[in-house]
Amino acid sequence: MTSAVLGLIALPSIIFPATAQNQTVNTNPYRSLNSQPAYPAVPPPPRIDRLPNERDVEERSLETDYRISHLLGDVTGNLWVGSWRGLSRINPNTGRIISRISLPNITIDALAQDKVGRLWVGNYEGLTRVDPLTNQITAQNLLLPSKRVLSLLVDKRGYLWTGTDSGLVLISPDQGLIMTTLRNLPGVSANAMTLDADGQLWVGTLDGLIRVNTASALIMKRIDNLPGATVQALAISPEGLIWAGMPNQLLVVNPKNGIVLRSVTPLRGRSVTSIKFAKDGSVWVGTTNGLLRLNPHTGSVLDMVTGLPSSQVVTLAADMGNKLWVGTSEGLAWVMPNMRKAEPHLAFGRAVK
């Protein structure tokens, strides 16, 4: 009965007939203990060094990532530095660190500031809202279509657009509530965003450009025949033209008809990661192999900056503290007018290790 309840099956005992062999073996169960063992006359095995502590090996093998993933100038004139080591705020005039913000996830990929000054932080685990006056988290982990946030943008009405690797989300910054979700985004991944002169949203995806009506969240236009397909950086020129950074070139696109006006010659064959127009009318272009300043009308190279912590440029912030701030895969640097060589910010590189 008990066996059946426990799911066990009782089998009848099986008795094997005794043989002459098994009748003589082990007649004395203590015989082997009293026997004198015989060892072969060979030298002992070589000594093996003790293995190191596995935890120590793991900790020493993990490399710190010094990537500066996003730079954002705020309404007070300070510069927010998002990295894969956390979030900091610095004075762009002096470079002094004002504060460091403690976040549940330090792998930051996107930053935005809403109309009342709240900071929104996107990372690989969702979205976090930070009060810059208290440095406290006031909202986090909204129900996004994906927790991997790639881009953030506040439109002219003050609403927050959140780009993920699975679509777009429109959020009310005050309540921290999702207003609408655009899951079936052509090109799927919202890699980069910018606003045009009409206040409409342009999204760079894995398959070109999408124009979205910021009031209705409906797709207005799709440009999917771009050479290189994937758009990984976006900017709108003072003339209202779209500059799109691709894995193999930099394109200038007419937003009215979607026609590619030109491929900027010096950037052909280069992976463009960041584009920023400066107050002097020039345009800074960061790539995976260097930083250039261009004449936007002719495409000619005005400057090629050396001295960066890494030639792999990730993000740019122009005209902050009379400097261009450059985030690279190996730390933060700055460039002043008439300086061809960048100066690294030692607090964000390997010098602080």
Side-chain angles (χ1 to χ4, degrees):
M1 178 70 176
T2 304
S3 299
V5 172
L6 297 177
L8 303 177
I9 299 175
L11 296 177
S13 301
I14 302 175
I15 302 175
F16 295 95
T19 62
Q21 184 178 2
N22 59 35
Q23 286 178 348
T24 58
V25 174
N26 291 334
T27 55
N28 182 358
Y30 300 101
R31 180 180 177 182
S32 58
L33 297 179
N34 298 327
S35 301
Q36 200 65 274
Y39 295 105
V42 294
R47 180 177 180 271
I48 300 176
D49 292 335
R50 186 167 58 90
L51 293 175
N53 182 276
E54 293 182 2
R55 180 182 177 91
D56 179 62
V57 170
E58 183 180 358
E59 290 177 347
R60 287 188 286 109
S61 64
L62 292 176
E63 285 292 331
T64 303
D65 197 319
Y66 290 89
R67 171 182 340 193
I68 305 297
S69 50
H70 200 100
L71 297 172
L72 176 70
D74 68 11
V75 294
T76 66
N78 292 319
L79 180 67
W80 290 92
V81 181
S83 73
W84 281 28
R85 296 172 58 231
L87 177 65
S88 304
R89 177 168 40 176
I90 70 172
N91 182 329
N93 297 297
T94 63
R96 182 178 65 87
I97 297 176
I98 300 172
S99 60
R100 294 186 186 272
I101 314 301
S102 177
L103 298 174
N105 186 289
I106 62 173
T107 309
I108 298 168
D109 259 354
L111 296 173
Q113 190 170 40
D114 62 28
K115 295 291 186 179
V116 298
R118 291 166 300 210
L119 192 71
W120 292 84
V121 184
N123 54 48
Y124 278 18
E125 290 189 359
L127 190 60
T128 303
R129 186 179 67 189
V130 176
D131 183 346
L133 298 179
T134 62
N135 295 336
Q136 298 298 311
I137 295 173
T138 56
Q140 64 178 331
N141 292 334
L142 304 177
L143 297 176
L144 305 174
S146 168
K147 288 186 177 181
R148 185 177 180 184
V149 176
L150 304 177
S151 56
L152 293 170
L153 182 142
V154 176
D155 65 21
K156 291 185 176 181
R157 302 176 303 155
Y159 293 108
L160 177 70
W161 290 88
T162 303
T164 76
D165 60 357
S166 297
L168 268 176
V169 180
L170 179 61
I171 295 174
S172 169
D174 294 329
Q175 292 81 24
L177 300 175
I178 293 178
M179 300 177 65
T180 188
T181 301
L182 185 56
R183 290 180 179 270
N184 297 322
L185 183 72
V188 183
S189 183
N191 301 326
M193 294 187 285
T194 190
L195 292 176
D196 61 20
D198 298 327
Q200 306 299 352
L201 180 70
W202 284 91
V203 185
T205 73
L206 298 174
D207 193 25
L209 288 166
I210 306 294
R211 192 187 192 205
V212 178
N213 188 305
T214 52
S216 64
L218 297 176
I219 295 175
M220 305 172 66
K221 185 188 292 289
R222 180 181 181 184
I223 305 174
D224 58 358
N225 58 347
L226 298 177
T230 300
V231 177
Q232 50 194 28
L234 277 178
I236 298 289
S237 74
E239 297 78 24
L241 300 177
I242 300 174
W243 286 57
M246 318 291 287
N248 58 353
Q249 61 189 318
L250 175 61
L251 301 178
V252 181
V253 182
N254 186 332
K256 301 296 183 183
N257 52 26
I259 294 176
V260 176
L261 300 178
R262 70 180 186 272
S263 171
V264 181
T265 304
L267 276 302
R268 290 176 184 170
R270 292 196 180 200
S271 179
V272 176
T273 54
S274 187
I275 310 162
K276 289 293 179 183
F277 284 88
K279 291 179 180 178
D280 63 5
S282 62
V283 56
W284 290 98
V285 181
T287 74
T288 55
N289 190 28
L291 173 64
L292 301 86
R293 186 167 72 95
L294 305 178
N295 181 324
H297 305 293
T298 64
S300 60
V301 177
L302 302 176
D303 289 301
M304 294 185 67
V305 179
T306 61
L308 295 170
S310 166
S311 61
Q312 185 174 347
V313 177
V314 182
T315 180
L316 299 171
D319 303 306
M320 294 293 302
N322 197 34
K323 304 175 185 68
L324 171 78
W325 290 88
V326 187
T328 76
S329 61
E330 287 291 326
L332 182 65
W334 52 271
V335 183
M336 293 188 69
N338 303 319
M339 280 179 55
R340 293 197 174 186
K341 186 176 181 180
E343 290 290 334
H345 194 304
L346 299 180
F348 292 92
R350 294 191 179 273
V352 302
K353 193 168 184 178

